[in-house]
Structure formats: C-alpha cells, structure tokens
Amino acid sequence: KKAIAVMTSGGDSPGMNAAARAVVRTALYEGVEVYGINNGYQGMVDDDIVKLSSRSVSDLIQRGGTFLGTARCMEFKTPEGRKKGFDNLMKHGIEGLVIIGGDGSLTGGSLLSKETGMPIVGLPGTIDNDVWGMDYTIGCDTAANTIVDAINKLRDTASAHRRIMLVEVMGRNSGWLAMMAGIAGGAEYVLVPEVKYDLDEMCHELKAMYDAGKRYSIIVVAEGAGSAVGLGQVVEEKTGIDTRVSVLGHIQRGGSPTVEDRMKASMLGEKAALAIISGATNVVFGFNEGKVVSVNLFDAVNNQKTLDPELVRLARVLA
Ligand code: F6P
C-alpha cells in the first residue's frame, strides 16, 4: 500500500489547515495512507510522525494556524539533518511528501529532493504572497483582510483627530501583502521594498493636502521598506502634522481563513495529493490569474518574485 506524508513549515498562515485537510482526505479517498509530520522539519528530524485518519482533520477548515504545528528548524539546514529526516520518512514507508510553506520551507524541500530523491510536491503557504510563479499564496487573502479591517478602524480615529496614520504590515522582503492591503484599504501611500520612495516629497505632498483641507491619511508600510516607528517620527517632524503608528504584527497571521483561502487551499490540497500519489515530484501548485498553475520546485525557490508594476501604478493613481 502506498503512503504519503504532509507537513507545514515556516510561518503559519490561515488556510494551511484547509490545505492539509484536503491532502489527507484526498489521499484516503484514493486508498493511500497519510502521515502527518508535526512541527515542520523539526518533526521530521525528531521522528514526530503520526498516521492520520479522516477524523484527524475534522473541525479544522475554519481554523487559522496549523494543527500539525510548524517551526523554523536549523538542523534541517544541514545535509546531516536532512539525511536524518529522510531516514525517518523511510522508516514509515513514506514514498512522497507534500510540503505546505513559504520560500524557505520549499527551499528545504528542494534540497531534500536533490540529496535523497524523495518525491516532493509543494504548496505555497505564507501570508507574504512571495512565492515565484504565482500571484496567490494560501493565507495572503485572510491576512490582507485583517489589515484592511485594521485600516478601516484607523480611518475613524485618524479622521477624528486630523492625523496621519502609518500602518506597518508583514511581508518580510516582499511588498505584495502591503500592496494588496494598501489598494484594498484605500491607502494614500504604500511603501514597499521594491520601489524607492522619496520621504521629502511624500511629506511635502502630505503637508499640501492637509493645508488644502484633508482630514487624514493612511500610509501602509511594508516591514521590508523600513520601520514605521522610525518613519512616523520623520513624517511628523517634516510635516508638523500629528502622526501615529500601528505595527500590526502577528495579528496578521491568525484568524479564521476567508472563503477565498479555504477554497483555494482545498483545491490545491487535492491537486497536491493526486500529484504525489501519481508519482510527480519537484512541483509546486499555485494559483495565477485565477487558474491553477504548476511551477517547477527549483524554479520557484531560485527565482525572486517581483511586485506587479500594474499594482504599484494603480495604488498611485487611486490615492
Ligand atoms: O513569513 C511570514 C512572516 O509572518 C513574515 O511576514 C514575517 O517577517 C515573519 O514571518 C515573522 O516571523 P516570526 O513569526 O518567526 O517572528
């Protein structure tokens, strides 16, 4: 009988549970055994691997986080760690592995595949939306909605006080999440690491707008573009306008996944399970322009996803 395993790795994201659930239920439907690897690569190295049933993934579709647990594992960054992980997979008769995670996690998978030949299928699980070859990652929609919800609230108080509000959002080196939330939240400025910004010019514009009667503005700052706390001080000094800063932090990682994240995670989970069962390897499934796409795992981890210039332009036009 065939056996596969599923794991989540790196920063958790809302919808990882829905994806893992879909992998498990699809495999069982196909008559294939499924193992869950707890706590990401750490669990693989420590042999924290358990057989899953359909019931193991009950009551999960609505939950953020990941029931499998996740970790950022240093030991797996070494060839010895990866060999240990591989040996544990072999012990359980696991013939293929579905990895749900971001860039770093998929890189770990690509090394495991290269060094041991273990078949790997990846799914993009990260709020950062930074996986190459696709315009969506599992969790980015829920995180963007959480940010927009925060922006809506900040608008009320910003308007009441005629303030400038800076909102720092996650995304690591990528401005994707910030751009999605900035456009959907109607931000005046979206500062992202991919695009140079001129602080003097921005402050000059802000001052002119407030002089002309503007009551408030929202500036979304991607964490990769700089610290909003520091930027806020500069903005207040340069404009003379009352400025406040909110760093949203890990609030963005949690919460019940949106319909979009649940749907796409479920569809991708099924694809991944069917692919790994039929012997596919070194492929990452994702969504691009609304359609399921498959990307070579090595291409996905060796290329840097660029920010869509159309979105950068749109954010400017609509501000
Ligand atoms: O990759 C997801 C992410 O939330 C990034 O946006 C952020 O930079 C990082 O993880 C935070 O990592 P940690 O949860 O380990 O503090």
Side-chain angles (χ1 to χ4, degrees):
K1 196 173 187 183
K2 266 199 139 184
I4 65 163
V6 59
M7 64 182 277
T8 52
S9 169
D12 61 300
S13 69
M16 275 185 164
N17 278 327
R21 168 181 177 271
V23 171
V24 171
R25 294 224 165 134
T26 303
L28 294 174
Y29 186 84
E30 297 292 322
V32 171
E33 284 183 349
V34 200
Y35 288 84
I37 301 173
N38 291 322
N39 306 320
Y41 292 118
Q42 195 61 55
M44 196 191 294
V45 171
D46 297 341
D47 195 18
D48 190 354
I49 299 171
V50 290
K51 202 187 248 183
L52 300 175
S53 70
S54 189
R55 286 266 307 276
S56 316
V57 291
S58 294
D59 195 28
L60 275 183
I61 189 135
Q62 80 281 20
R63 295 188 197 279
T66 161
F67 81 104
L68 290 168
T70 186
R72 303 192 196 278
C73 172
M74 294 318 283
E75 200 177 344
F76 202 77
K77 294 200 164 137
T78 66
E80 297 74 33
R82 292 191 286 272
K83 174 77 174 54
K84 216 164 136 190
F86 174 73
D87 290 344
N88 287 330
L89 294 177
M90 295 310 284
K91 220 161 70 186
H92 295 277
I94 292 163
E95 296 156 277
L97 175 62
V98 176
I99 301 169
I100 308 167
D103 224 26
S105 309
L106 297 175
T107 301
S110 72
L111 294 171
L112 182 70
S113 160
K114 209 157 103 184
E115 292 165 5
T116 68
M118 173 58 64
I120 304 280
V121 170
L123 291 182
T126 167
I127 65 165
D128 299 341
N129 199 2
D130 62 349
V131 178
W132 184 86
M134 48 197 73
D135 59 16
Y136 164 85
T137 57
I138 296 163
C140 71
D141 184 64
T142 304
N145 273 284
T146 300
I147 297 168
V148 167
D149 187 47
I151 291 175
N152 291 344
K153 289 174 173 145
L154 290 169
R155 280 173 181 274
D156 294 343
T157 173
S159 167
H161 286 265
R162 285 203 85 190
R163 280 173 172 160
I164 297 172
M165 285 287 178
L166 278 80
V167 190
E168 184 181 307
V169 305
M170 281 185 167
R172 210 179 282 277
N173 308 318
S174 165
W176 265 94
L177 181 61
M179 199 46 83
M180 290 166 69
I183 291 173
E188 270 70 23
Y189 295 93
V190 187
L191 307 184
V192 291
E194 293 89 342
V195 183
K196 262 214 177 121
Y197 53 89
D198 184 335
L199 258 189
D200 282 332
E201 192 185 300
M202 185 177 87
C203 291
H204 190 77
E205 287 171 5
L206 281 166
K207 175 118 185 34
M209 288 191 284
Y210 277 65
D211 287 346
K214 193 168 177 60
R215 282 206 66 85
Y216 74 96
S217 44
I218 303 285
I219 304 174
V220 172
V221 182
E223 64 178 346
S227 148
V229 173
L231 286 167
Q233 270 165 11
V234 177
V235 168
E236 184 158 41
E237 270 162 32
K238 284 192 192 282
T239 59
I241 302 163
D242 221 11
T243 300
R244 293 290 186 274
V245 176
S246 298
V247 179
L248 295 187
H250 286 79
I251 297 265
Q252 296 161 91
R253 284 252 290 273
S256 182
T258 58
V259 171
E260 180 173 0
D261 280 333
R262 293 183 197 197
M263 283 292 292
K264 288 186 168 162
S266 298
M267 290 164 83
L268 292 175
E270 187 204 25
K271 282 262 176 229
L274 292 177
I276 201 84
I277 289 167
S278 68
T281 185
N282 296 334
V283 53
V284 183
F285 288 102
F287 271 88
N288 201 43
E289 294 180 346
K291 290 203 173 64
V292 174
V293 290
S294 65
V295 175
N296 178 279
L297 174 64
F298 296 94
D299 287 345
V301 299
N302 291 328
N303 288 294
Q304 193 75 32
K305 180 172 169 183
T306 50
L307 190 60
D308 184 354
E310 281 299 302
L311 291 185
V312 176
R313 192 186 52 78
L314 184 62
R316 277 212 196 105
V317 170
L318 301 185

